[in-house]
mmCIF file with all atom_site columns, all heavy atoms in Angstrom:
data_model
loop_
_atom_site.group_PDB
_atom_site.id
_atom_site.type_symbol
_atom_site.label_atom_id
_atom_site.label_alt_id
_atom_site.label_comp_id
_atom_site.label_asym_id
_atom_site.label_entity_id
_atom_site.label_seq_id
_atom_site.pdbx_PDB_ins_code
_atom_site.Cartn_x
_atom_site.Cartn_y
_atom_site.Cartn_z
_atom_site.occupancy
_atom_site.B_iso_or_equiv
_atom_site.pdbx_formal_charge
_atom_site.auth_seq_id
_atom_site.auth_comp_id
_atom_site.auth_asym_id
_atom_site.auth_atom_id
_atom_site.pdbx_PDB_model_num
ATOM 1   N N   . ASN A 1 44 ? 140.906 -164.879 26.042 1.00 89.00 ? 101 ASN A N   1
ATOM 2   C CA  . ASN A 1 44 ? 141.144 -164.474 27.574 1.00 89.00 ? 101 ASN A CA  1
ATOM 3   C C   . ASN A 1 44 ? 141.385 -165.861 28.280 1.00 89.00 ? 101 ASN A C   1
ATOM 4   O O   . ASN A 1 44 ? 142.217 -165.913 29.207 1.00 89.00 ? 101 ASN A O   1
ATOM 5   C CB  . ASN A 1 44 ? 140.047 -163.712 28.103 1.00 89.00 ? 101 ASN A CB  1
ATOM 6   C CG  . ASN A 1 44 ? 139.892 -162.266 27.580 1.00 89.00 ? 101 ASN A CG  1
ATOM 7   O OD1 . ASN A 1 44 ? 140.874 -161.700 27.041 1.00 89.00 ? 101 ASN A OD1 1
ATOM 8   N ND2 . ASN A 1 44 ? 138.670 -161.786 27.432 1.00 89.00 ? 101 ASN A ND2 1
ATOM 9   N N   . LEU A 1 45 ? 140.613 -166.811 27.938 1.00 92.00 ? 102 LEU A N   1
ATOM 10  C CA  . LEU A 1 45 ? 140.717 -168.152 28.766 1.00 92.00 ? 102 LEU A CA  1
ATOM 11  C C   . LEU A 1 45 ? 141.902 -168.980 28.286 1.00 92.00 ? 102 LEU A C   1
ATOM 12  O O   . LEU A 1 45 ? 142.504 -169.635 29.219 1.00 92.00 ? 102 LEU A O   1
ATOM 13  C CB  . LEU A 1 45 ? 139.456 -168.905 28.534 1.00 92.00 ? 102 LEU A CB  1
ATOM 14  C CG  . LEU A 1 45 ? 138.242 -168.465 29.249 1.00 92.00 ? 102 LEU A CG  1
ATOM 15  C CD1 . LEU A 1 45 ? 137.029 -169.215 28.717 1.00 92.00 ? 102 LEU A CD1 1
ATOM 16  C CD2 . LEU A 1 45 ? 138.449 -168.686 30.717 1.00 92.00 ? 102 LEU A CD2 1
ATOM 17  N N   . VAL A 1 46 ? 142.333 -168.884 27.186 1.00 92.00 ? 103 VAL A N   1
ATOM 18  C CA  . VAL A 1 46 ? 143.301 -169.807 26.642 1.00 92.00 ? 103 VAL A CA  1
ATOM 19  C C   . VAL A 1 46 ? 144.568 -169.747 27.405 1.00 92.00 ? 103 VAL A C   1
ATOM 20  O O   . VAL A 1 46 ? 145.291 -170.772 27.724 1.00 92.00 ? 103 VAL A O   1
ATOM 21  C CB  . VAL A 1 46 ? 143.567 -169.683 25.153 1.00 92.00 ? 103 VAL A CB  1
ATOM 22  C CG1 . VAL A 1 46 ? 144.432 -168.500 24.774 1.00 92.00 ? 103 VAL A CG1 1
ATOM 23  C CG2 . VAL A 1 46 ? 144.225 -170.919 24.576 1.00 92.00 ? 103 VAL A CG2 1
ATOM 24  N N   . ASP A 1 47 ? 145.157 -168.521 27.863 1.00 86.00 ? 104 ASP A N   1
ATOM 25  C CA  . ASP A 1 47 ? 146.353 -168.369 28.627 1.00 86.00 ? 104 ASP A CA  1
ATOM 26  C C   . ASP A 1 47 ? 146.256 -169.117 29.896 1.00 86.00 ? 104 ASP A C   1
ATOM 27  O O   . ASP A 1 47 ? 147.196 -169.967 30.269 1.00 86.00 ? 104 ASP A O   1
ATOM 28  C CB  . ASP A 1 47 ? 146.557 -166.932 28.770 1.00 86.00 ? 104 ASP A CB  1
ATOM 29  C CG  . ASP A 1 47 ? 147.958 -166.729 29.441 1.00 86.00 ? 104 ASP A CG  1
ATOM 30  O OD1 . ASP A 1 47 ? 148.951 -167.017 28.736 1.00 86.00 ? 104 ASP A OD1 1
ATOM 31  O OD2 . ASP A 1 47 ? 148.056 -166.102 30.611 1.00 86.00 ? 104 ASP A OD2 1
ATOM 32  N N   . LYS A 1 48 ? 145.185 -169.056 30.587 1.00 89.00 ? 105 LYS A N   1
ATOM 33  C CA  . LYS A 1 48 ? 144.961 -169.779 31.789 1.00 89.00 ? 105 LYS A CA  1
ATOM 34  C C   . LYS A 1 48 ? 144.950 -171.233 31.571 1.00 89.00 ? 105 LYS A C   1
ATOM 35  O O   . LYS A 1 48 ? 145.541 -172.054 32.443 1.00 89.00 ? 105 LYS A O   1
ATOM 36  C CB  . LYS A 1 48 ? 143.695 -169.233 32.507 1.00 89.00 ? 105 LYS A CB  1
ATOM 37  C CG  . LYS A 1 48 ? 143.572 -167.886 32.970 1.00 89.00 ? 105 LYS A CG  1
ATOM 38  C CD  . LYS A 1 48 ? 142.297 -167.438 33.507 1.00 89.00 ? 105 LYS A CD  1
ATOM 39  C CE  . LYS A 1 48 ? 142.401 -165.921 33.661 1.00 89.00 ? 105 LYS A CE  1
ATOM 40  N NZ  . LYS A 1 48 ? 141.022 -165.232 33.675 1.00 89.00 ? 105 LYS A NZ  1
ATOM 41  N N   . LEU A 1 49 ? 144.285 -171.685 30.625 1.00 92.00 ? 106 LEU A N   1
ATOM 42  C CA  . LEU A 1 49 ? 144.210 -173.111 30.425 1.00 92.00 ? 106 LEU A CA  1
ATOM 43  C C   . LEU A 1 49 ? 145.517 -173.695 29.973 1.00 92.00 ? 106 LEU A C   1
ATOM 44  O O   . LEU A 1 49 ? 145.892 -174.800 30.342 1.00 92.00 ? 106 LEU A O   1
ATOM 45  C CB  . LEU A 1 49 ? 143.153 -173.320 29.328 1.00 92.00 ? 106 LEU A CB  1
ATOM 46  C CG  . LEU A 1 49 ? 141.734 -173.140 29.750 1.00 92.00 ? 106 LEU A CG  1
ATOM 47  C CD1 . LEU A 1 49 ? 140.802 -173.192 28.579 1.00 92.00 ? 106 LEU A CD1 1
ATOM 48  C CD2 . LEU A 1 49 ? 141.219 -174.005 30.829 1.00 92.00 ? 106 LEU A CD2 1
ATOM 49  N N   . LEU A 1 50 ? 146.423 -173.000 29.160 1.00 91.00 ? 107 LEU A N   1
ATOM 50  C CA  . LEU A 1 50 ? 147.603 -173.440 28.736 1.00 91.00 ? 107 LEU A CA  1
ATOM 51  C C   . LEU A 1 50 ? 148.568 -173.464 30.003 1.00 91.00 ? 107 LEU A C   1
ATOM 52  O O   . LEU A 1 50 ? 149.447 -174.379 30.062 1.00 91.00 ? 107 LEU A O   1
ATOM 53  C CB  . LEU A 1 50 ? 148.149 -172.637 27.685 1.00 91.00 ? 107 LEU A CB  1
ATOM 54  C CG  . LEU A 1 50 ? 147.681 -172.883 26.281 1.00 91.00 ? 107 LEU A CG  1
ATOM 55  C CD1 . LEU A 1 50 ? 148.074 -171.804 25.178 1.00 91.00 ? 107 LEU A CD1 1
ATOM 56  C CD2 . LEU A 1 50 ? 147.996 -174.235 25.870 1.00 91.00 ? 107 LEU A CD2 1
ATOM 57  N N   . LYS A 1 51 ? 148.414 -172.634 30.912 1.00 88.00 ? 108 LYS A N   1
ATOM 58  C CA  . LYS A 1 51 ? 149.277 -172.645 32.114 1.00 88.00 ? 108 LYS A CA  1
ATOM 59  C C   . LYS A 1 51 ? 149.038 -173.857 33.066 1.00 88.00 ? 108 LYS A C   1
ATOM 60  O O   . LYS A 1 51 ? 149.906 -174.256 33.753 1.00 88.00 ? 108 LYS A O   1
ATOM 61  C CB  . LYS A 1 51 ? 149.138 -171.328 33.020 1.00 88.00 ? 108 LYS A CB  1
ATOM 62  C CG  . LYS A 1 51 ? 149.877 -170.075 32.329 1.00 88.00 ? 108 LYS A CG  1
ATOM 63  C CD  . LYS A 1 51 ? 149.702 -168.859 33.110 1.00 88.00 ? 108 LYS A CD  1
ATOM 64  C CE  . LYS A 1 51 ? 150.405 -167.751 32.498 1.00 88.00 ? 108 LYS A CE  1
ATOM 65  N NZ  . LYS A 1 51 ? 150.193 -166.440 33.194 1.00 88.00 ? 108 LYS A NZ  1
ATOM 66  N N   . ASN A 1 52 ? 147.773 -174.291 32.954 1.00 84.00 ? 109 ASN A N   1
ATOM 67  C CA  . ASN A 1 52 ? 147.396 -175.426 33.786 1.00 84.00 ? 109 ASN A CA  1
ATOM 68  C C   . ASN A 1 52 ? 147.812 -176.631 33.076 1.00 84.00 ? 109 ASN A C   1
ATOM 69  O O   . ASN A 1 52 ? 147.311 -177.064 32.145 1.00 84.00 ? 109 ASN A O   1
ATOM 70  C CB  . ASN A 1 52 ? 145.933 -175.373 33.948 1.00 84.00 ? 109 ASN A CB  1
ATOM 71  C CG  . ASN A 1 52 ? 145.444 -176.507 34.988 1.00 84.00 ? 109 ASN A CG  1
ATOM 72  O OD1 . ASN A 1 52 ? 146.110 -177.586 35.069 1.00 84.00 ? 109 ASN A OD1 1
ATOM 73  N ND2 . ASN A 1 52 ? 144.300 -176.260 35.503 1.00 84.00 ? 109 ASN A ND2 1
ATOM 74  N N   . GLY A 1 53 ? 148.953 -177.230 33.542 1.00 83.00 ? 110 GLY A N   1
ATOM 75  C CA  . GLY A 1 53 ? 149.487 -178.413 32.871 1.00 83.00 ? 110 GLY A CA  1
ATOM 76  C C   . GLY A 1 53 ? 148.724 -179.656 32.750 1.00 83.00 ? 110 GLY A C   1
ATOM 77  O O   . GLY A 1 53 ? 149.013 -180.512 31.995 1.00 83.00 ? 110 GLY A O   1
ATOM 78  N N   . ARG A 1 54 ? 147.622 -179.616 33.398 1.00 89.00 ? 111 ARG A N   1
ATOM 79  C CA  . ARG A 1 54 ? 146.794 -180.921 33.505 1.00 89.00 ? 111 ARG A CA  1
ATOM 80  C C   . ARG A 1 54 ? 145.987 -180.935 32.076 1.00 89.00 ? 111 ARG A C   1
ATOM 81  O O   . ARG A 1 54 ? 145.385 -181.964 31.824 1.00 89.00 ? 111 ARG A O   1
ATOM 82  C CB  . ARG A 1 54 ? 145.888 -181.032 34.661 1.00 89.00 ? 111 ARG A CB  1
ATOM 83  C CG  . ARG A 1 54 ? 144.695 -180.207 34.706 1.00 89.00 ? 111 ARG A CG  1
ATOM 84  C CD  . ARG A 1 54 ? 143.923 -180.378 35.895 1.00 89.00 ? 111 ARG A CD  1
ATOM 85  N NE  . ARG A 1 54 ? 142.482 -180.083 35.627 1.00 89.00 ? 111 ARG A NE  1
ATOM 86  C CZ  . ARG A 1 54 ? 141.652 -179.870 36.676 1.00 89.00 ? 111 ARG A CZ  1
ATOM 87  N NH1 . ARG A 1 54 ? 141.848 -180.005 37.768 1.00 89.00 ? 111 ARG A NH1 1
ATOM 88  N NH2 . ARG A 1 54 ? 140.398 -179.382 36.340 1.00 89.00 ? 111 ARG A NH2 1
ATOM 89  N N   . TYR A 1 55 ? 145.763 -179.878 31.386 1.00 91.00 ? 112 TYR A N   1
ATOM 90  C CA  . TYR A 1 55 ? 144.940 -179.918 30.217 1.00 91.00 ? 112 TYR A CA  1
ATOM 91  C C   . TYR A 1 55 ? 145.878 -180.019 28.893 1.00 91.00 ? 112 TYR A C   1
ATOM 92  O O   . TYR A 1 55 ? 146.918 -179.283 28.854 1.00 91.00 ? 112 TYR A O   1
ATOM 93  C CB  . TYR A 1 55 ? 144.180 -178.477 30.065 1.00 91.00 ? 112 TYR A CB  1
ATOM 94  C CG  . TYR A 1 55 ? 143.157 -178.384 31.021 1.00 91.00 ? 112 TYR A CG  1
ATOM 95  C CD1 . TYR A 1 55 ? 143.329 -177.316 31.921 1.00 91.00 ? 112 TYR A CD1 1
ATOM 96  C CD2 . TYR A 1 55 ? 142.031 -179.237 31.219 1.00 91.00 ? 112 TYR A CD2 1
ATOM 97  C CE1 . TYR A 1 55 ? 142.266 -177.098 32.907 1.00 91.00 ? 112 TYR A CE1 1
ATOM 98  C CE2 . TYR A 1 55 ? 141.067 -179.050 32.182 1.00 91.00 ? 112 TYR A CE2 1
ATOM 99  C CZ  . TYR A 1 55 ? 141.245 -177.960 32.973 1.00 91.00 ? 112 TYR A CZ  1
ATOM 100 O OH  . TYR A 1 55 ? 140.289 -177.729 34.015 1.00 91.00 ? 112 TYR A OH  1
ATOM 101 N N   . THR A 1 56 ? 145.520 -180.926 27.990 1.00 94.00 ? 113 THR A N   1
ATOM 102 C CA  . THR A 1 56 ? 146.146 -181.074 26.786 1.00 94.00 ? 113 THR A CA  1
ATOM 103 C C   . THR A 1 56 ? 145.651 -180.058 25.774 1.00 94.00 ? 113 THR A C   1
ATOM 104 O O   . THR A 1 56 ? 144.628 -179.376 26.104 1.00 94.00 ? 113 THR A O   1
ATOM 105 C CB  . THR A 1 56 ? 146.161 -182.468 26.194 1.00 94.00 ? 113 THR A CB  1
ATOM 106 O OG1 . THR A 1 56 ? 144.668 -182.664 25.896 1.00 94.00 ? 113 THR A OG1 1
ATOM 107 C CG2 . THR A 1 56 ? 146.366 -183.645 27.055 1.00 94.00 ? 113 THR A CG2 1
ATOM 108 N N   . ILE A 1 57 ? 146.318 -179.878 24.677 1.00 94.00 ? 114 ILE A N   1
ATOM 109 C CA  . ILE A 1 57 ? 145.809 -178.951 23.560 1.00 94.00 ? 114 ILE A CA  1
ATOM 110 C C   . ILE A 1 57 ? 144.461 -179.420 23.177 1.00 94.00 ? 114 ILE A C   1
ATOM 111 O O   . ILE A 1 57 ? 143.627 -178.640 22.957 1.00 94.00 ? 114 ILE A O   1
ATOM 112 C CB  . ILE A 1 57 ? 146.937 -178.842 22.470 1.00 94.00 ? 114 ILE A CB  1
ATOM 113 C CG1 . ILE A 1 57 ? 148.266 -178.492 22.947 1.00 94.00 ? 114 ILE A CG1 1
ATOM 114 C CG2 . ILE A 1 57 ? 146.326 -178.010 21.431 1.00 94.00 ? 114 ILE A CG2 1
ATOM 115 C CD1 . ILE A 1 57 ? 148.396 -177.114 23.534 1.00 94.00 ? 114 ILE A CD1 1
ATOM 116 N N   . ILE A 1 58 ? 144.331 -180.701 23.180 1.00 94.00 ? 115 ILE A N   1
ATOM 117 C CA  . ILE A 1 58 ? 142.975 -181.246 22.694 1.00 94.00 ? 115 ILE A CA  1
ATOM 118 C C   . ILE A 1 58 ? 141.962 -180.994 23.649 1.00 94.00 ? 115 ILE A C   1
ATOM 119 O O   . ILE A 1 58 ? 140.744 -180.468 23.275 1.00 94.00 ? 115 ILE A O   1
ATOM 120 C CB  . ILE A 1 58 ? 143.171 -182.744 22.389 1.00 94.00 ? 115 ILE A CB  1
ATOM 121 C CG1 . ILE A 1 58 ? 144.034 -183.022 21.279 1.00 94.00 ? 115 ILE A CG1 1
ATOM 122 C CG2 . ILE A 1 58 ? 141.844 -183.454 22.166 1.00 94.00 ? 115 ILE A CG2 1
ATOM 123 C CD1 . ILE A 1 58 ? 144.373 -184.504 21.000 1.00 94.00 ? 115 ILE A CD1 1
ATOM 124 N N   . ASP A 1 59 ? 142.242 -181.111 25.005 1.00 93.00 ? 116 ASP A N   1
ATOM 125 C CA  . ASP A 1 59 ? 141.212 -180.824 26.075 1.00 93.00 ? 116 ASP A CA  1
ATOM 126 C C   . ASP A 1 59 ? 140.866 -179.285 25.938 1.00 93.00 ? 116 ASP A C   1
ATOM 127 O O   . ASP A 1 59 ? 139.745 -178.952 26.026 1.00 93.00 ? 116 ASP A O   1
ATOM 128 C CB  . ASP A 1 59 ? 141.952 -181.060 27.430 1.00 93.00 ? 116 ASP A CB  1
ATOM 129 C CG  . ASP A 1 59 ? 142.147 -182.517 27.768 1.00 93.00 ? 116 ASP A CG  1
ATOM 130 O OD1 . ASP A 1 59 ? 141.581 -183.339 27.111 1.00 93.00 ? 116 ASP A OD1 1
ATOM 131 O OD2 . ASP A 1 59 ? 143.003 -182.678 28.696 1.00 93.00 ? 116 ASP A OD2 1
#
Side-chain angles (χ1 to χ4, degrees):
N101 292 334
L102 283 170
V103 76
D104 187 62
K105 292 174 188 156
L106 292 171
L107 283 170
K108 281 182 181 173
N109 186 332
R111 75 177 204 198
Y112 295 116
T113 66
I114 303 298
I115 292 170
D116 293 337

